[in-house]
Amino acid sequence: MTSREGSTRGFWALIVTQFQGAFSDNALKALVTFLGLALAATHAERERVVPLVGLLFSLPFIFFSMAGGWLADRLSKRAVSLGVKIFELGIMAFAWFGLRHEHLPMAFAAVALMGVHSAFFGPSKYGLLPELLPEHRLSWGNGILELGTFLAIILGGAAGGLLYQQFKGRYEHAALLLLAFAGIGLAAALAITRVPAANPGKAFRANFLGDLFSQIGRIRRDRILWLAVLGNTYFFYLGALILQNAILFGADTLRVDEFRTSCLQAALAVGIGLGSFAAGCLSGGKIEYGLVPLGAIGMTIFSGALGVPILGYRAALLLLTLLGFFGGFFIVPICAIMQHRPDRKERGAVLAAANLLSFVGIALASGVFWLLRAADLTTSQVFLAGAGMTLAVLLLLSVLLPDAFLRMLLWGYTHSLVRLRVEGGEHLSAAKGALLVAERSTFADGLLILAATDHPLRPIMARRLYDRPWIRLFAKSARALPCAPRALREAGVALREGEAVLVWRETGAAVDGEPSAWERRLGRLLGNSDVARIAVQIDAPSDQTGRRRLLFRARTVRFGRPTPRPHASDRGVVHTRG
């Protein structure tokens, strides 16, 4: 078996392991919740059961996520996965004893222990993806993982209710089934590909809050990574707010029974799963940043649509599904960024911090929901408030990451009017910093190069093109540099920071009458550093008359193999076009 086949098998083993864990988490939570409601002696006790179960499951993520991140870096992530599955066998045996005797405190403790299990598994689970899959399949892998997770949440919650009904008075039989499922999860974890420990010498910090703030400080040094962590936190915050509101929306506004109310929550989860899968498939073998604003736009629209007072039940199901679908578009590239950008030795700690902050977002959603309801907002108005919050996030994103909106437009363009093919993209992905040298072409072709890669890119453009009003907006969004000495300095900084710089080459032509000066500048850009030089070619499809066709045709962007120095044959002049 080749290493690639082994990694693919290991990836699917991880998916099965994660599916089983999420399924069992939610099945046990639902089973214990129904048992708690049945055994509650007073109305006040009954009212406390649902939030108590949710709190018991969530608190371990706050207290143990950082420890899980340390284990994910200190040990092999496969070994951690095996350890938590063995731990789950013990938890389900403990749950069996509590359910057999209908001992509610033990059943509650089992839910909390499953929270500990999931808190330790989370960083290893997400950290395994970039170790099992190549970068160009990372978004696809995240889409599959999120689809499986949300399907497991839905099926697990439904299974918990079914187990309660089928084994009423004989709950230990339900626990035996969950124990058997834990065994299946352990068998799947054994099939995960063996991976080495990322940082065997990493020291443990008992102060998880100090560890969290220290990790946040390191994350903030990478602006894109920090924004991704914040986006991940907001996603879980909004999801928790919508899910809590959906319960009262079904009961108070739509006036439907408990089963139909559960279907409203399931519709959101199904939408997220389907949207995640679609986003992974539509990312084109890269991290598609443009899907983030597209997802935020969809979440804003459909959350706002849920605020229409005359909404019917079927319309609500459809809108919640669409809201979740665009939520999947929003979260998949964010997850891929958090897995790809951190250093391998710190990846587990970064994912642990993101995991912890996501549960801070969930807890914050509970407080915000209580405040909104205390302010006498109806459930429809809470949906409108969620739309307003997401719109604010969207506007903030347009300021902090304007190139994400340009990438959104390019994604739409290359999935409708033009079919874009990319060859040799792995050459650019493997380079920390790269000087891309393309043949003379058009501004539109420069945008195609931008659409062909998720690598941070700084095009250098001629000043006369950059200053045109209709181009300037796109140029700024693309982080283009106008041709000037200052642009060369900024390009040098970008190369040293691992970004790519795009210039245009036209052999034998002069730029600003100084061909020799541009040759020297090109040499200084490469200097004595490890910056690679990569040639880029774009095909120019034409119709039968020989005229170029820009629409409704396949376009191919080819990245050549990197060379560390410009050869003598390449000592032409860099022509800075857009």
Side-chain angles (χ1 to χ4, degrees):
M1 179 183 294
T2 66
S3 60
R4 182 175 295 276
E5 290 171 343
S7 294
T8 302
R9 187 197 68 175
F11 165 75
W12 288 111
L14 173 64
I15 295 299
V16 174
T17 305
Q18 162 60 10
F19 183 92
Q20 177 274 317
F23 177 91
S24 296
D25 280 344
N26 287 275
L28 182 64
K29 282 168 56 182
L31 178 61
V32 172
T33 298
F34 286 121
L35 178 62
L37 292 173
L39 297 180
T42 65
H43 177 74
E45 288 183 4
R46 183 180 174 86
E47 288 293 308
R48 287 196 293 265
V49 169
V50 175
L52 179 60
V53 171
L55 183 66
L56 288 172
F57 184 75
S58 300
L59 280 178
F61 285 88
I62 296 176
F63 288 106
F64 297 106
S65 285
M66 298 309 296
W70 172 76
L71 281 177
D73 289 331
R74 176 70 173 76
L75 305 175
S76 165
K77 295 176 180 64
R78 177 182 181 271
V80 176
S81 301
L82 289 171
V84 296
K85 289 294 117 180
I86 293 171
F87 181 44
E88 185 181 350
L89 289 172
I91 296 170
M92 291 307 177
F94 179 81
W96 174 86
F97 188 85
L99 291 171
R100 176 181 174 82
H101 297 282
E102 295 188 7
H103 191 277
L104 202 55
M106 287 188 69
F108 283 155
V111 171
L113 288 172
M114 282 301 289
V116 175
H117 150 278
S118 297
F120 275 101
F121 183 44
S124 292
K125 167 184 68 180
Y126 286 108
L128 272 168
L129 280 183
E131 297 187 25
L132 297 177
L133 296 174
E135 182 188 345
H136 70 274
R137 302 198 76 189
L138 199 52
S139 290
W140 172 82
N142 274 286
I144 296 292
L145 184 67
E146 296 299 329
L147 173 63
T149 298
F150 282 99
L151 287 178
I153 290 171
I154 297 164
L155 295 175
L162 184 62
L163 290 173
Y164 175 79
Q165 289 182 335
Q166 293 297 317
F167 298 108
K168 188 171 291 187
R170 298 173 290 122
Y171 303 114
E172 67 273 15
H173 297 309
L176 283 176
L177 284 176
L178 294 178
L179 184 63
F181 289 147
I184 294 172
L186 176 60
L190 285 168
I192 296 174
T193 307
R194 295 179 183 273
V195 295
N199 190 0
K202 187 168 186 176
F204 177 70
R205 294 185 63 178
N207 181 359
F208 76 94
L209 287 177
D211 194 14
L212 172 65
F213 290 126
S214 174
Q215 193 59 46
I216 288 175
R218 285 191 287 269
I219 293 172
R220 291 185 66 180
R221 296 172 192 165
D222 185 334
R223 181 169 172 270
I224 302 298
L225 179 60
W226 174 235
L227 291 175
V229 170
L230 292 178
N232 182 68
T233 304
Y234 180 76
F235 172 80
F236 281 94
Y237 160 81
L238 182 67
L241 182 67
I242 296 297
L243 281 174
Q244 291 179 61
N245 192 51
I247 297 174
L248 295 181
F249 181 66
D252 299 345
T253 304
L254 299 178
R255 300 190 181 280
V256 296
D257 58 25
E258 290 81 2
F259 174 74
R260 290 191 173 188
T261 298
S262 298
C263 289
L264 291 174
Q265 294 180 297
L268 181 69
V270 168
I272 294 174
L274 293 176
S276 298
F277 178 72
C281 293
L282 293 172
S283 292
K286 63 181 186 298
I287 301 173
E288 184 49 77
Y289 292 78
L291 294 181
V292 176
L294 179 60
I297 290 171
M299 290 192 297
T300 301
I301 292 172
F302 293 111
S303 182
L306 283 162
V308 177
I310 59 173
L311 208 61
Y313 178 71
R314 290 184 179 179
L317 280 176
L318 176 62
L319 291 175
L320 280 166
T321 303
L322 290 171
L323 171 60
F325 185 84
F326 280 94
F329 272 41
F330 181 83
I331 194 60
V332 162
I334 285 175
C335 286
I337 291 168
M338 292 191 300
Q339 293 157 5
H340 173 65
R341 291 187 72 92
D343 182 83
R344 181 175 177 271
K345 293 183 178 181
E346 294 295 327
R347 185 177 292 144
V350 169
L351 293 172
N355 204 29
L356 192 158
L357 290 174
S358 69
F359 276 85
V360 171
I362 291 171
L364 182 62
S366 298
V368 170
F369 181 66
W370 180 83
L371 289 174
L372 292 175
R373 294 292 291 171
D376 291 329
L377 266 68
T378 65
T379 54
S380 297
Q381 290 170 334
V382 171
F383 282 127
L384 289 174
M389 295 174 201
T390 309
L391 179 61
V393 169
L394 188 63
L395 294 175
L396 185 62
L397 183 64
S398 69
V399 175
L400 298 177
L401 281 178
D403 56 319
F405 284 81
L406 177 60
R407 287 183 178 274
M408 178 186 71
L409 296 175
L410 291 175
W411 179 85
Y413 174 60
T414 56
H415 284 77
S416 56
L417 300 179
V418 168
R419 289 180 289 117
L420 182 64
R421 292 179 54 202
V422 181
E423 297 179 3
E426 67 278 4
H427 299 148
L428 179 56
S429 299
K432 291 185 177 180
L435 181 69
L436 304 184
V437 183
E439 298 297 330
R440 181 179 180 180
S441 194
T442 66
F443 176 72
D445 286 344
L447 293 178
L448 283 180
I449 294 175
L450 183 65
T453 178
D454 56 7
H455 201 93
L457 184 62
R458 303 298 302 272
I460 299 180
M461 297 177 58
R463 170 67 73 175
R464 58 186 176 80
L465 287 178
Y466 185 89
D467 287 338
R468 292 180 182 177
W470 68 275
I471 288 182
R472 190 180 184 90
L473 177 63
F474 290 100
K476 283 188 173 182
S477 297
R479 300 167 64 238
L481 298 169
C483 179
R486 175 172 166 268
L488 267 295
R489 290 193 295 271
E490 290 190 34
V493 172
L495 289 170
R496 286 192 294 273
E497 292 180 351
E499 298 188 35
V501 172
L502 172 64
V503 294
W504 300 92
R505 176 178 178 271
E506 185 182 18
T507 305
V511 177
D512 298 334
E514 296 181 11
S516 59
W518 271 99
E519 290 183 36
R520 291 195 299 272
R521 291 172 184 175
L522 175 58
R524 283 200 296 271
L525 279 178
L526 293 173
N528 296 320
S529 65
D530 295 329
V531 172
R533 178 188 185 279
I534 298 177
V536 185
Q537 293 181 336
I538 305 177
D539 67 355
S542 57
D543 58 21
Q544 294 180 351
T545 65
R547 292 182 299 179
R548 291 187 63 179
R549 291 282 302 275
L550 298 180
L551 302 180
F552 308 112
R553 286 292 185 93
R555 304 295 305 276
T556 302
V557 177
R558 298 182 180 88
F559 295 96
R561 294 184 179 277
T563 57
R565 295 285 185 275
H567 300 294
S569 60
D570 296 321
R571 300 287 289 178
V573 181
V574 176
H575 188 74
T576 54
R577 289 182 64 90

